[in-house]
Amino acid sequence: MYTLGISGSPFLAQDLVSFDQSWWHDAAAVLLKEGTVVAAIEEERLSRDKHTSRFPQLAIVACLAEAGIGIGDVDCVSYYTGERHARGALTAVSMGNPHLVDTDPSSVLRDSLARSVGAEYRGRLDLVKHHLAHAASAHHLSGWSECLVVTTDGRGDQESGMVIDVRDNRWTTLLDLPIADSLGLFYERMIRFIGYGSFEEYKVMSLASYGDPERYRKLFQGLYRLLPQGRFNIEQGWDSSVVFEHFVPRRRHEPITRKDMDFAAALQEALEHMAGHLLAHFRERTGQRRLAMAGGVALNCAMTGKLLLKDMFDEVFVQPASNDAGCALGAALYSATQADRPSSPQMEHCYWGTALPSTDEVERIVDKWQDVVTARRIGPLFDEAASLLEGGAIMGWAQGRMEFGPRALGNRSIIADSRFASATKRINSVIKKRDNFQPFAPSVLEEELHTFFELPCRVTKLPFMVFTANVRPAWREKLGAITHVDGTARVQTVSRKHNQRYWSLIRALGDRTGVPMVLNTSFNNQAEPIVSSVEDALACFVSTDLDHLVIDDFLVSKRTDTVEPLWTYRLKLRPVFQLWHRPGPRPAWEIRQTSFPTVRPISVEVYRLLSSLGDATVAERAAATGLEAHKAALLNELLALWNSRIVSLSPAA
């Protein structure tokens, strides 16, 4: 039996003139066979539109291709929203898109599926409530027949979370968390006072480690109340002036000061206080010693890391794709799995995405970029790669099947030697271009976990980078690249069984340095999703300050000049952007993003260049518009737009 789970908009992108991005985000598709994952892919990795809300048509096609089946072979399609909420969302969206008259979720989904895959889907279609999907992903992948399941996020359907008691694989719902008391929305609302917005909660979690919660503790304690039976109430009557009386807000591009750090620390403390109150009560009420979690708030690894150290639960499982992409997985599991099925082993990896092509095909693609890179085979032992890391190199690393979920776990990663604090500063400033206070995670050999990190003996592996752990004091200065200001690190253990290549690289580096560990961060820059294809990896490598790229069996390095050859590269404006011109006495030329209110001023020359021809190289566009004399300026501006992933540049051959 094949089950296809999907999250994201039910409409195809071309059907929408306008829509509220908050309805849907992190679209994905997941294909199960007899309840086991065949493929799981986030749409953003293929569309290159970060956190995309669009219908996951590329991901669906890729999942079916991975299994070698068509949509007619799928027994059930499961969507991550319940009937009532889906119908309400479609009605709301239709108000801004008058040509959309069909507000029946089943009809719209079947139509989008048919146009995505070129064939009608006539099978069963389930609409699964959002938090039931989260709960299914947590329980069914935990491997436990008895546990407490807690889901928490911003909102989904009419709830912001659920508490479920699982006995002999049967569920008893103990609590539905109302949207009014949403931990996710509370956190998101508060981070705006220090200049952050949607999808930036993880930055504030990192910033909190630098602050002292005492300064704003009373302010936050006035915004919520702990109630009996594990409940809490987030005050709804307050407005921004309540915060302004105690705190001067930070505008987005102002420097971060001590007050902002203290505000973040008090916010993190408030989150942990409410979540801890909830968990403590239901732990006591149910007697459960195992906890399974999902939902966006479960990705707050500072909070979950503290749970590992407490005696509240013997074991804690956080489903690693706990964002809304994971709801595609959970919806499929909910539909495919009988409530009383025997428990299966706990999820051990999430390498479920698209794979790199054959080694010969990788070589063929890399050869297309030979005017800006050189490449040679180094084989699967990676001793040379380890030597480069030991020497301080920062490297892109792409192997095998892509990870599912928001974390890069060694198949689409940027890596460096974990000993060099300078690597952290360099990656933040010139590669990722992000705040310098943000830490990087370590990937350590599974068998060496307790050598470097303080954890209970019962914790033997942490494969998904969803918990923080204390770095042992003797190692903190020696592991400058991965030790956060509070002495913690967001740990990933690497198993030889599930990732032989990554394990072998780390082992080779450990043999040289005595530290079998690498700094690991996602292989992308600040403007794009994690890379998926060979072409994505090469584009990120060439347009950033990465030193080397290892992709499959090839070590790729840059030539001296990587700018001049771009003149002969094919230039395209990415589909989610459009050109805009305001005439008049003060004319303006801009590029605007269609799904977010993002505006990028550009020169009139680049505007003319991008307006010319349909599919052509930079040189061909310049010749058509008489701009050859502006070559140097055009290349510099285009390079900046490429680095922001507003335009794409690729070899013409």
Side-chain angles (χ1 to χ4, degrees), residues 354-380:
T354 52
L356 292 180
S358 68
T359 299
D360 289 344
E361 179 65 9
V362 170
E363 184 174 30
R364 186 188 68 80
I365 296 170
V366 172
D367 281 347
K368 288 184 177 182
W369 295 69
Q370 61 183 322
D371 47 358
V372 290
V373 302
T374 62
R376 56 190 174 82
R377 287 183 186 241
I378 58 171

Side-chain angles (χ1 to χ4, degrees), residues 10-11 83 87 90 101-115 121 125 127:
F11 294 111
E83 167 78 25
R87 191 176 294 275
L90 295 183
V101 296
D102 189 351
T103 58
D104 175 60
S106 177
S107 174
V108 172
L109 286 165
R110 290 180 188 276
D111 177 67
S112 295
L113 273 169
R115 288 193 285 153
Y121 174 67
L125 193 148
L127 298 177

Side-chain angles (χ1 to χ4, degrees), residues 4-10 27-30 55-56 60 77-81 109 113 125 324-325 327-329 331-332:
L4 177 67
I6 55 178
S7 63
S9 166
V30 176
F55 185 77
I60 289 169
V77 171
S78 188
Y79 187 61
Y80 80 133
T81 300
L109 286 165
L113 273 169
L125 193 148
D324 277 7
C327 278
L329 174 61

Side-chain angles (χ1 to χ4, degrees), residues 148 230 431 520:
L148 184 69
I431 296 174
N520 173 16

Side-chain angles (χ1 to χ4, degrees), residues 139 144-149 164-172 174 282-289 339-340:
H139 168 224
W144 302 325
S145 60
E146 297 196 357
C147 62
L148 184 69
V149 174
I164 297 172
D165 186 20
V166 180
R167 307 274 176 174
D168 194 23
N169 288 313
R170 297 182 181 277
W171 294 10
T172 301
L174 304 179
F282 286 102
R283 155 69 188 91
E284 184 68 23
R285 175 177 166 180
T286 63
Q288 294 281 14
R289 298 298 301 176
D340 59 352

Side-chain angles (χ1 to χ4, degrees), residues 476-534:
R476 290 179 185 177
E477 288 188 12
K478 300 173 184 177
L479 299 175
I482 58 89
T483 303
H484 197 30
V485 65
D486 60 356
T488 66
R490 180 162 47 94
V491 184
Q492 176 207 358
T493 54
V494 180
S495 159
R496 188 173 192 173
K497 174 183 176 182
H498 295 298
N499 201 328
Q500 171 73 43
R501 284 175 170 251
Y502 197 37
W503 187 95
S504 296
L505 172 75
I506 298 171
R507 178 76 277 166
L509 180 62
D511 289 343
R512 290 173 170 274
T513 66
V515 182
M517 182 190 307
V518 294
L519 173 158
N520 173 16
T521 187
S522 56
F523 193 170
N524 62 333
N525 71 7
Q526 81 289 353
E528 65 178 340
I530 298 173
V531 303
S532 171
S533 66
V534 179

